[in-house]
Amino acid sequence: MTNALELDRVEVVYDDFHALKGVSLAVQPGEAFGLVGESGSGKSTILRAIAGLAPVASGTINIDGQSLSKRRDKAFYRSVQMVFQDPYGSLHPRQTVDRLLQEPLAIHGIDDQERRIVRALEEVGLGTGFRFRYPHQLSGGQRQRVAIARALIVEPSILLLDEPTSALDASVQAEVLNLLETVRKARKLTFLLVSHDLAVVAHMCDRLMVMQHGEEVEQLLSTELSARKARQPYTQKLIEASTGFRR
Amino acid sequence: MSDVAMSRREWLLSERPQSRLQARLGRAYMSWQRFAANRLALIGLAIIIMLLLVAAFAPVLAPYSPVAGDLRQGLKPPGWEHWMGTDDQGRDILSRIIYGSRLTLYVVVLVAILAAPIGLLVGTVAGYAGGWIDTVLSRITDIFLAFPKLILALAFVAALGPGIENAVIAIAITSWPPYARIARAETLTVRNSDYIAAVRLMGASPARIVVRHIMPLCISSLIVRVTLDMAGIILTAAGLGFLGLGAQPPLPEWGAMIASGRRFILDQWWVAAMPGMAILIVSLGFNLLGDGLRDALDPRGAGQ
Amino acid sequence: MSALLTVEDLRVAFHTRTGTVDAVRGVSFELGRERLGIVGESGSGKSQTGRAIMGLTPPHAEVTARKLDFDGIDLTNISARARRDLRGDRIAMILQDPKYSLDPVMTIGRQIVESIQAHEKIGKSEASKRALAMLESVQIRDPARVYDLYPHEVSGGMGQRAMIAMMLIANPQLLIADEPTSALDVTVQLDVLRILDQLVTERGMGLIFISHDLRLVSSFCDRVIVMYAGRIVEQLKASELNQAQHPYTRGLLDCMPRLGAADRHPLPTLDRKPEWAL
């Protein structure tokens, strides 16, 4: 079986900063893969490199066995979509939800817009009452639902999730995580989820990679993480820290 | 009555608009409320509406012909017959100012239509593209900015020949660079934002991103700036007219009127003072309006 | 033991064009020399409670309280000047992101020296000696180097330590920490908390720890206040968190994914009852 997503020794270099130092990973179709690390570990850079938003210096990225060229084509953007961390920053402040959802359909020349927009809103649990609102009329959780609807409306097979719930309250986080699980099941999506929260990754993903300073620390199964069976001391330290303060 | 008004207000301020139109109107209404909260801005708006009405109904309002004078009636001080007096050729100054409002509007509107889009396009493209495109466009902008506006306009008019159309072109050529600067600065602040990244991730072309997503964000600050610049444009046009390079006699352009009144400024002050007053009031109107618009259209204010 | 801070029926209201927003609606509690956690989600009024005690509420808001008493001083009745003198001297506050609360054009050392000199008459060399000692006490390994750095030159964890050093230099009796570690990485977070814990214990301060993270707060504080929609829904001992009574507190605890616990798919969500907000 070909991998849905494959990275081979990918390096990303910003002007004088080596953000990613040769990272390789493979994700199977329908799998949920997690990336864990602290700030500056390069976990978000991986998503940006796949999406074509970060300068890849060397290495290859394959989607469904096809190597990506430097310039992504439209077909790529129909199969890979991304949800950003900050729901306040990822929606255009001057566009209604309707307009936000219409844009991807217009770009890809998909007709049947009316029905698709209504269906997309229903899928993420927002009624049509939200359709003509501006982002500032929505709460953080509602914005993130709109962002998910926008990503799903072009029917991608791979969803890149960059800390999708870290800006949300705990109770809203649970709702959004549940929503993501539901759509993943319904659409057989492949997830690449970035988070600093080990519990979130363990809950959502099958496998994960721990990162530090732009490099892989180790890859392990979520079950191993939950059982606290990490091989590397850095992972152990992260697990320790996530349990809270101890006097 | 008040019942209907209330429900209409509620319809506009609804948190759950039911259609595109309602969402748009609701947003406009919010902006209008912010604008209307500012007294001075309303005064500015009133002045500009007055200017529009005067220009539209000039033939009805003007008591005399703006061009034909009666030499026997020359240089009459303001009085019942001629409210603002007459000039050296015996023409009624009030009528000339009323007709002159058309020229003023003509200049202001044409300059805005020509200069603002050029500035917007140059600025957003430079800001979004970056790299050598940015360098080239920004340096061109800098070159234009390096000259004083009036001097540059003078040079263009001298090359193109005097006349009101050429004055408009000259002013437009000299007034787009600040708009390009503003648009570029706004573009730089949003180009790396997540929502622009999200549009890129949908596969939108750079042209589409600039035109449909970045330009709308720049437009409000540009409108504010253009409105505030209107006063400057009127003054530049008047300056060109004053120097004899703008509107040619006998056109009742305000600047040219001041120029011709200059000769009698000590004895017959009204010839120069009346058009000067008109320029002052209209400039003030545009400035007040611009200040109000800045508060009303500020995108940062819209969210809170 | 008498209370260090007594708050009775504290209310904060914001008057806006579209109406009045009641951010805090009648909050009462007492604080001794202990660690008190205030927990709630965004919009629960937890930060506004802290700011009202500190006297940092924005000017267009209206703060009222039946009683707001700090160590015998009635905070509702004193002048703005007296309030300012208290602030930084006897009451200090640490904010979420050190980037925004440190002056970007002044070195860290100078900022600490300035805050010493603002509160007592002291020579420059004496003050800088105290500043260095304070930086050392927040476990900055090379205090002399950090002393001369600008805020943008240090990491988030280091900045927050410097902030703590600056706030604790005047030996305040009450420290209000508003999400002091939320912007930090988990491993750094614990270091900063450990420093805070040690200093608070050594100096016998009262601490109000405001956070959205119920689990973190309960592991750090002695007592926890849970806020919802501007009110306190529950007060309990941190050790007894698992016996929380109010459905909101229980819901908050329940809806977080837990490492190692039996995995629940889907996660239980919070069913907000309108009567909680009454």
Side-chain angles (χ1 to χ4, degrees):
Chain A
M1 194 157 77
T2 48
N3 289 318
L5 180 68
E6 206 177 303
L7 271 68
D8 188 29
R9 282 161 304 179
V10 172
E11 293 196 39
V12 170
V13 182
Y14 290 102
D15 298 327
D16 52 356
F17 176 58
H18 213 135
L20 219 51
K21 303 167 185 162
V23 172
S24 305
L25 62 89
V27 186
Q28 280 163 14
E31 191 184 20
F33 192 90
L35 294 168
V36 181
E38 298 187 300
S39 53
S41 64
K43 57 190 194 301
S44 292
T45 310
I46 290 189
L47 296 196
R48 294 192 157 255
I50 296 169
L53 298 171
V56 177
S58 70
T60 54
I61 302 173
N62 291 341
I63 302 281
D64 293 326
Q66 305 259 315
S67 171
L68 286 183
S69 58
K70 232 193 170 83
R71 182 156 271 172
R72 311 281 191 268
D73 53 9
K74 274 201 175 170
F76 168 80
Y77 293 119
R78 279 203 75 165
S79 57
V80 180
Q81 276 297 318
M82 182 156 164
V83 175
F84 294 85
Q85 169 177 12
D86 177 11
Y88 293 86
S90 67
L91 304 182
H92 197 291
R94 291 284 176 114
Q95 293 176 353
T96 58
V97 172
D98 177 60
R99 174 79 208 283
L100 283 162
L101 295 180
Q102 210 182 359
E103 189 67 8
L105 298 176
I107 289 168
H108 292 284
I110 302 170
D111 43 15
D112 199 12
Q113 297 188 353
E114 187 65 27
R115 201 176 56 86
R116 278 174 192 267
I117 290 173
V118 171
R119 205 182 54 193
L121 281 174
E122 266 162 18
E123 187 173 12
V124 296
L126 293 174
T128 43
F130 290 88
R131 183 166 166 192
F132 298 104
R133 291 203 201 183
Y134 286 95
H136 70 258
Q137 295 170 315
L138 303 174
S139 69
Q142 289 163 349
R143 287 175 198 227
Q144 207 59 314
R145 284 171 192 265
V146 171
I148 293 169
R150 174 177 62 184
L152 291 180
I153 206 163
V154 295
E155 297 173 349
S157 58
I158 299 174
L159 204 55
L160 308 174
L161 301 158
D162 188 2
E163 304 255 16
T165 58
S166 65
L168 304 177
D169 280 325
S171 62
V172 183
Q173 161 169 293
E175 291 166 18
V176 171
L177 290 181
N178 287 343
L179 168 67
L180 286 171
E181 283 211 301
T182 315
V183 296
R184 184 162 89 91
K185 248 179 232 150
R187 294 175 171 234
K188 303 194 172 45
L189 292 171
T190 309
F191 273 7
L192 191 57
L193 171 78
V194 162
S195 179
H196 68 278
D197 188 333
L198 291 181
V200 166
V201 170
H203 176 77
M204 295 290 291
C205 300
D206 312 312
R207 281 192 305 139
L208 65 133
M209 177 159 99
V210 181
M211 295 185 65
Q212 190 186 22
H213 308 312
E215 284 171 304
E216 171 183 332
V217 174
E218 66 174 314
Q219 291 195 25
L220 64 167
L221 296 171
S222 290
T223 48
E224 293 174 313
L225 183 70
S226 294
R228 294 162 199 247
K229 277 191 220 142
R231 289 173 287 274
Q232 296 297 323
Y234 178 69
T235 315
Q236 288 289 5
K237 196 175 153 200
L238 282 183
I239 294 175
E240 184 62 30
S242 72
T243 53
F245 184 75
R246 237 179 258 160
R247 212 155 256 128
Chain B
M1 178 62 216
S2 75
D3 222 33
V4 177
M6 264 315 284
S7 65
R8 189 174 300 153
R9 190 184 135 82
E10 272 163 17
W11 183 80
L12 281 169
L13 290 178
S14 164
E15 283 284 297
R16 289 173 168 257
Q18 296 303 312
S19 67
R20 268 164 225 184
L21 182 73
Q22 189 185 357
R24 214 166 287 153
L25 286 177
R27 196 181 172 84
Y29 182 67
M30 294 281 279
S31 296
W32 166 249
Q33 276 198 320
R34 270 198 299 274
F35 181 81
N38 184 342
R39 281 271 162 73
L40 286 173
L42 284 180
I43 294 176
L45 182 67
I47 292 174
I48 303 311
I49 289 176
M50 282 267 288
L51 176 72
L52 289 171
L53 290 177
V54 167
F57 298 108
V60 184
L61 293 171
Y64 299 93
S65 155
V67 286
D70 181 354
L71 281 176
R72 284 164 302 177
Q73 298 282 321
L75 296 175
K76 281 265 167 78
W80 282 116
E81 211 169 318
H82 299 282
W83 288 6
M84 291 187 177
T86 60
D87 64 5
D88 53 335
Q89 310 212 17
R91 292 172 296 198
D92 180 51
I93 293 180
L94 175 64
S95 304
R96 283 177 68 73
I97 287 178
I98 288 175
Y99 274 96
S101 65
R102 292 185 159 184
L103 289 173
T104 302
L105 264 183
Y106 173 80
V107 169
V108 157
V109 169
L110 272 185
V111 168
I113 287 176
L114 286 174
I118 299 176
L120 183 62
L121 188 69
V122 170
T124 49
V125 169
Y128 185 71
W132 64 268
I133 298 179
D134 182 26
T135 311
V136 170
L137 290 176
S138 296
R139 289 302 84 77
I140 294 175
T141 314
D142 288 344
I143 291 171
F144 274 90
L145 278 172
F147 294 96
K149 223 168 158 181
L150 188 61
I151 306 287
L152 195 60
L154 266 178
F156 279 112
V157 177
L160 298 166
I164 193 143
E165 291 83 8
N166 288 345
V168 165
I169 294 172
I171 296 172
I173 290 175
T174 56
S175 51
W176 66 265
Y179 306 147
R181 276 276 181 90
I182 292 171
R184 178 170 174 271
E186 292 259 322
T187 308
L188 286 180
T189 61
V190 301
R191 65 172 287 196
N192 288 327
S193 68
D194 279 351
Y195 55 85
I196 296 300
V199 187
R200 280 173 69 186
L201 264 183
M202 286 170 206
S205 64
R208 187 182 179 97
I209 294 174
V210 167
V211 173
R212 303 206 46 163
H213 297 273
I214 292 181
M215 280 189 182
L217 285 171
C218 302
I219 277 178
S220 54
S221 53
L222 214 61
I223 289 177
V224 172
R225 182 60 201 253
V226 170
T227 316
L228 289 173
D229 273 2
M230 291 291 187
I233 293 169
I234 293 173
L235 292 177
T236 310
L240 287 176
F242 181 84
L243 294 168
L245 294 169
Q248 294 301 302
L251 281 181
E253 203 273 324
W254 295 348
M257 285 168 71
I258 298 178
S260 63
R262 179 184 43 162
R263 280 173 288 153
F264 337 101
I265 201 153
L266 292 178
D267 300 318
Q268 284 87 23
W269 54 271
W270 59 89
V271 184
M274 293 304 172
M277 193 102 84
I279 292 175
L280 177 83
I281 291 173
V282 172
S283 304
L284 185 69
F286 275 116
N287 272 335
L288 293 177
L289 180 70
D291 269 340
L293 284 177
R294 172 161 50 207
D295 298 339
L297 295 178
D298 189 355
R300 275 154 299 217
Q304 317 318 309
Chain C
M1 187 183 79
S2 74
L4 181 64
L5 177 77
T6 310
V7 179
E8 252 177 56
D9 199 27
L10 175 71
R11 291 168 186 273
V12 180
F14 290 86
H15 301 289
T16 67
R17 211 186 343 246
T18 43
T20 302
V21 179
D22 295 307
V24 180
R25 307 181 301 153
V27 162
S28 309
F29 63 88
E30 279 194 357
L31 176 80
R33 300 189 185 278
E34 58 177 335
R35 286 170 291 245
L36 172 70
I38 301 184
V39 187
E41 297 189 298
S42 51
S44 62
K46 58 185 191 303
S47 288
Q48 288 306 333
T49 303
R51 283 167 179 269
I53 296 166
M54 193 72 190
L56 289 177
T57 311
H60 63 279
E62 192 189 325
V63 181
T64 55
R66 201 177 320 131
K67 194 170 172 195
L68 194 58
D69 180 287
F70 170 71
D71 203 17
I73 306 165
D74 182 5
L75 293 180
T76 50
N77 258 332
I78 58 172
S79 67
R81 200 198 143 81
R83 196 86 192 249
R84 214 161 40 235
D85 286 343
L86 270 183
R87 213 150 55 208
D89 194 22
R90 300 186 62 196
I91 308 179
M93 188 165 194
I94 300 172
L95 296 169
Q96 177 168 6
D97 199 334
K99 268 196 206 91
Y100 300 116
S101 30
L102 290 170
D103 184 341
V105 295
M106 218 192 264
T107 62
I108 287 170
R110 253 196 72 204
Q111 292 188 46
I112 300 177
V113 166
E114 293 241 320
S115 67
I116 302 174
Q117 288 180 325
H119 296 287
E120 38 187 311
K121 293 236 173 309
I122 187 172
K124 194 130 206 190
S125 63
E126 182 64 22
S128 73
K129 219 178 278 170
R130 284 252 306 267
L132 279 172
M134 194 68 219
L135 283 175
E136 209 169 341
S137 73
V138 291
Q139 294 171 23
I140 288 176
R141 247 164 278 145
D142 192 355
R145 191 179 65 89
V146 174
Y147 185 91
D148 285 322
L149 293 179
Y150 287 92
H152 67 266
E153 294 174 307
V154 301
S155 66
M158 189 77 88
Q160 201 58 299
R161 285 179 211 203
M163 189 74 205
I164 293 174
M166 200 161 104
M167 284 302 152
L168 295 192
I169 192 108
N171 244 328
Q173 283 134 306
L174 172 61
L175 180 66
I176 300 173
D178 189 354
E179 304 267 9
T181 58
S182 304
L184 306 177
D185 281 327
V186 271
T187 48
V188 185
Q189 200 172 26
L190 294 189
D191 291 341
V192 171
L193 285 180
R194 200 157 291 128
I195 294 162
L196 205 56
D197 179 56
Q198 195 188 345
L199 290 173
V200 167
T201 316
E202 271 173 12
R203 300 174 179 216
M205 279 183 248
L207 171 73
I208 298 180
F209 188 99
I210 299 168
S211 173
H212 67 282
D213 191 337
L214 187 49
R215 213 167 285 279
L216 184 73
V217 166
S218 64
S219 69
F220 184 74
C221 295
D222 309 315
R223 214 147 54 85
V224 180
I225 286 177
V226 183
M227 284 187 71
Y228 181 77
R231 282 181 192 273
I232 294 177
V233 295
E234 190 160 20
Q235 287 202 44
L236 69 174
K237 277 198 182 133
S239 53
E240 291 165 6
L241 192 67
N242 289 327
Q243 290 125 52
Q245 295 301 313
H246 198 278
Y248 176 68
T249 316
R250 301 185 66 91
L252 265 191
L253 275 173
D254 226 25
C255 67
M256 273 182 284
R258 253 169 290 173
L259 202 56
D263 224 354
R264 300 152 300 163
H265 295 273
L267 286 167
T269 53
L270 200 57
D271 184 16
R272 287 156 205 274
K273 297 270 188 322
E275 62 261 28
W276 297 352
L278 292 180

